[in-house]
Amino acid sequence: MTDQDLYARFDLLRGAEDQKNELITEILRQLDKLTNDYQQMTLDYQREAQYNRDTQLRQLLIDGDGMVFGDQMIQKGELGGKEAANKLWNAIRDNVHQTMPSLTPEYKIVTRIYANLKGLATTLYYAGIVEKPTVVEEFARGFTGSKQLFDFVDVGSGKDRADDKIIEVFKLHLYNCHCRHIFFGCSHDNGYARLLEDLADQPGTGRITLMEGVPFERELSVLKSKYETTQFQNLFRTDKIKIYQQPGYGLQTTLPHQTHPSYSMPPPALPSPQQQPTTQSGSGLRYHVPPEPPSSNNKPNATPSPVLSNATSGSSNAPPALLKPATWASTTAAAAPLPALASPPPTPSPAIIPRNKYGQRVDPPSTYNKTESHRIRALKLCNLHYLRGDCPYDPCHHDHYYKISKSELATLQYVARMVPCQWGTECDDPKCIYGHRCPANYEGTECRFGAECNFPAEMHGVDGTVVRTTRVGKK
C-alpha cells in the first residue's frame, strides 16, 4: 500500500468524522429548540390553566317577562333591585356549594335578565302591584347597578325578542370552556321546549339547571326530568300575575306564543276582559302607559279590587272607576233576565290581507270625527262582539245589546284601530280589529301625538298603496 492510498483512506475517515460531528451538532440544535418550545408550551399551559381556574363562570339566563321577582322587592324600586340581586347571588352560591362541592370556589356569577321592561312595568302597574310604572324601571336599574356582572336588559317590544336573545346567548355559553354551568329561568314558556328537547340526549345536560318560578308548562314539564331543576324560595313569583285593572286607552293583550303562562291570558289576538283577571305575556307584547297614571287613591290595595274601565272609551288620562263590592241586591239584579242580544251587522272576515310593496299590512283609510268618536266610546260597546263577532268573556262588562248602525260600526272600528296591533305590520289575522299603522299619521300628515304616540316608529309613515295581498286560512 502506497502513501497515497493511506492519505486517501485518511481523507475518507476524516470526511465521515466531519459528517458525524455535523449530525451531532444538528441534533443538539434541534434538541435545544424542542426544549425551548416545550418550556414555552408548559408556561402557556400553566398560564391558561390558571386563567381557566380564575375565570370559571356560572351563567344565569332569565326570561324576565315570565320569571318575575316577588312583589315586595319590586315595590321598593331601586333598593328592591339591589336586594333581589343580592338574594339571587346568594341563592346561586348556595346551590353551587350543595350540588357541585368538588368545583373550585373561585368562580364568577354572570346574570342576564331579558325583558320587555315597558310592558312588564305596565302589567305590574295595572295589576296593582306598583304605584307607577317607573318603579319597575328603578328596580331594573338597581338590579343592574348592584353587581358588575348582573344586567337587566330591556329588549323593547316585539315578538319573541327576549326569547331569541336568550336562546342565542344560551348557545354561546353552552360550549364555552369557561362556563361551567348554566341556570336557565324559563319555566313559564313552552317556546324554549324545542331548544331543550334538542339538547336532552346530548352530553352536557348535567351542566344545565332549569329554574322554576311559576310551575313548568306542559311541554317543559315533560323535559324537566332530563335536567337538573331548582326553585329559589321567596325570590320569584310562583303564581301568575292577575290583571284587575286595565288602562283606559291603548293596552292590548295578545300572545307571542301559544302559551306564555307567567300571566293568565285570553285567546290570542283578543283584548283582556275589563273585570276578569287576565295575564300578560312579556316579550312579544306591546304595552302603552297613559301619560298620567291614576292617582294613588284609585290604586288597588294589597288585595286588588276589580276595577271597571273601557279599553276604547275616555281619554288616556281618565282614572278607572272602582267597582262597588258585590251585594245580595246586586247579585239578584245581575241574575235578572237580559234583553235580547243585539246581533252585530254582518262583518265577514276577509280571505286576504292587503299589503304594500314592503310587505306591510295596510289598513283601509277612515275618516276621524272627534265628536262621534267620543260618543261611541261613551257607549262602552264590546269591540269583540261587534267587530269580531266572537266575544269569549262571560260575563262581559261591555254592551252587547246596542243596535249599532253601519256608520257607528265604522266609527267603532276607527276607535279600535287607535290601539296598535301587537304583531305590527306583519299581522296576518284577517279578523284583527287593531291598528297596523298610526291613524293620525297617514301619508303626508304629521302625527299629532308626537313622541307620546302609542304607535311605535315603524308603524308611522306606512305606505298605503296596496300592491299585493296575503291569503290566509279561516280564523
Side-chain angles (χ1 to χ4, degrees):
M1 178 178 295
T2 64
D3 292 344
Q4 290 182 342
D5 293 337
L6 291 174
Y7 277 110
R9 292 178 65 184
F10 173 73
D11 290 339
L12 290 174
L13 290 174
R14 186 170 57 182
E17 190 69 20
D18 291 342
Q19 291 181 0
K20 180 190 73 172
N21 292 336
E22 291 178 359
L23 176 61
I24 293 173
T25 302
E26 182 64 26
I27 291 174
L28 292 175
R29 188 182 298 112
Q30 291 290 338
L31 178 61
D32 288 341
K33 183 179 183 302
L34 291 174
T35 301
N36 291 334
D37 291 346
Y38 172 76
Q39 291 175 348
Q40 185 62 46
M41 291 179 65
T42 301
L43 290 175
D44 292 344
Y45 172 78
Q46 292 174 347
R47 195 161 41 239
E48 185 71 19
Q50 181 65 36
Y51 176 74
N52 287 340
R53 284 193 296 269
D54 294 342
T55 57
Q56 291 186 22
L57 306 180
R58 304 296 181 272
Q59 179 73 48
L60 274 75
L61 293 174
I62 299 174
D63 187 336
D65 290 324
M67 292 281 291
V68 183
F69 285 98
D71 296 353
Q72 293 182 351
M73 287 184 285
I74 293 179
Q75 290 166 355
K76 296 178 184 178
E78 188 168 348
L79 292 178
K82 295 179 179 179
E83 177 185 347
N86 290 329
K87 286 185 175 182
L88 182 58
W89 191 92
N90 291 329
I92 294 297
R93 181 198 58 187
D94 294 343
N95 180 276
V96 170
H97 290 172
Q98 293 173 6
T99 60
M100 294 167 270
S102 61
L103 295 179
T104 172
E106 298 175 355
Y107 59 84
K108 300 180 185 295
I109 298 176
V110 181
T111 300
R112 298 287 185 272
I113 300 178
Y114 296 91
N116 173 6
L117 192 58
K118 184 177 180 181
L120 179 63
T122 308
T123 299
L124 294 174
Y125 169 64
Y126 284 106
I129 295 174
V130 296
E131 292 185 353
K132 51 185 179 180
T134 55
V135 173
V136 181
E137 298 176 5
E138 295 168 0
F139 174 89
R141 186 162 53 248
F143 183 93
T144 300
S146 64
K147 296 185 180 298
Q148 292 181 344
L149 297 179
F150 276 41
D151 293 305
F152 199 117
V153 182
D154 180 13
V155 300
S157 58
K159 180 181 178 183
D160 297 340
R161 284 194 177 181
D163 304 48
D164 293 342
K165 284 183 177 290
I166 289 173
I167 289 174
E168 288 303 314
V169 175
F170 181 94
K171 293 177 179 178
L172 178 66
H173 287 90
L174 182 61
Y175 301 109
N176 184 345
C177 64
H178 301 298
C179 182
R180 303 305 174 89
H181 206 85
I182 297 177
F183 292 86
F184 196 16
C186 63
S187 64
H188 61 286
D189 189 353
N190 277 324
Y192 298 105
R194 178 61 60 85
L195 170 68
L196 297 174
E197 185 179 13
D198 293 341
L199 297 173
D201 298 326
Q202 298 183 15
T205 55
R207 297 173 52 235
I208 302 171
T209 295
L210 303 183
M211 298 166 56
E212 182 175 8
V214 298
F216 284 102
E217 279 300 301
R218 180 176 57 83
E219 295 181 32
L220 293 174
S221 63
V222 175
L223 294 170
K224 71 176 184 178
S225 61
K226 299 182 180 181
Y227 294 88
E228 298 291 333
T229 61
T230 187
Q231 185 174 27
F232 300 135
Q233 299 296 329
N234 303 320
L235 190 56
F236 296 99
R237 292 183 63 97
T238 57
D239 60 340
K240 303 173 183 179
I241 298 176
K242 295 179 173 58
I243 306 297
Y244 290 88
Q245 182 177 349
Q246 298 291 339
Y249 170 80
L251 180 62
Q252 177 185 350
T253 58
T254 58
L255 283 174
H257 306 297
Q258 290 181 350
T259 57
H260 206 322
S262 84
Y263 314 86
S264 44
M265 223 20 221
L270 299 181
S272 41
Q274 302 332 24
Q275 258 58 53
Q276 295 176 337
T278 66
T279 60
Q280 312 286 350
S281 160
S283 61
L285 290 181
R286 181 171 299 285
Y287 307 81
H288 303 283
V289 184
E292 296 180 5
S295 65
S296 58
N297 295 332
N298 289 333
K299 178 184 173 294
N301 298 324
T303 303
S305 300
V307 298
L308 178 61
S309 65
N310 182 11
T312 60
S313 64
S315 69
S316 60
N317 297 332
L322 297 176
L323 285 180
K324 296 180 180 179
T327 63
W328 178 252
S330 63
T331 303
T332 55
L338 295 173
L341 187 67
S343 298
T347 55
S349 300
I352 57 176
I353 294 176
R355 298 191 181 277
N356 60 24
K357 62 182 178 181
Y358 304 107
Q360 299 169 305
R361 180 165 178 165
V362 177
D363 288 335
S366 53
T367 303
Y368 174 66
N369 185 312
K370 183 177 180 180
T371 302
E372 184 67 8
S373 295
H374 282 292
R375 186 183 71 83
I376 292 297
R377 284 175 175 173
L379 295 176
K380 297 185 178 180
L381 305 177
C382 175
N383 291 352
L384 299 179
H385 172 69
Y386 287 102
L387 299 177
R388 289 183 65 100
D390 56 3
C391 176
Y393 306 120
D394 184 15
C396 177
H397 297 275
H398 286 77
D399 194 348
H400 284 212
Y401 307 102
Y402 180 78
K403 301 292 186 180
I404 193 168
S405 66
K406 290 185 177 180
S407 62
E408 290 173 326
L409 189 66
T411 302
L412 184 64
Q413 177 66 80
Y414 182 91
V415 170
R417 284 183 181 153
M418 294 174 73
V419 179
C421 175
Q422 178 259 323
W423 303 112
T425 57
E426 298 179 0
C427 176
D428 59 0
D429 179 5
K431 297 177 68 177
C432 182
I433 65 176
Y434 301 107
H436 304 95
R437 60 175 175 174
C438 175
N441 178 235
Y442 280 17
E443 301 103 318
T445 63
E446 286 291 333
C447 177
R448 63 177 177 272
F449 298 111
E452 300 297 325
C453 183
N454 289 325
F455 284 76
E458 62 268 20
M459 295 174 74
H460 285 77
V462 176
D463 183 3
T465 304
V466 177
V467 299
R468 66 182 180 89
T469 58
T470 301
R471 293 187 178 274
V472 295
K474 184 178 180 180
K475 293 287 179 177

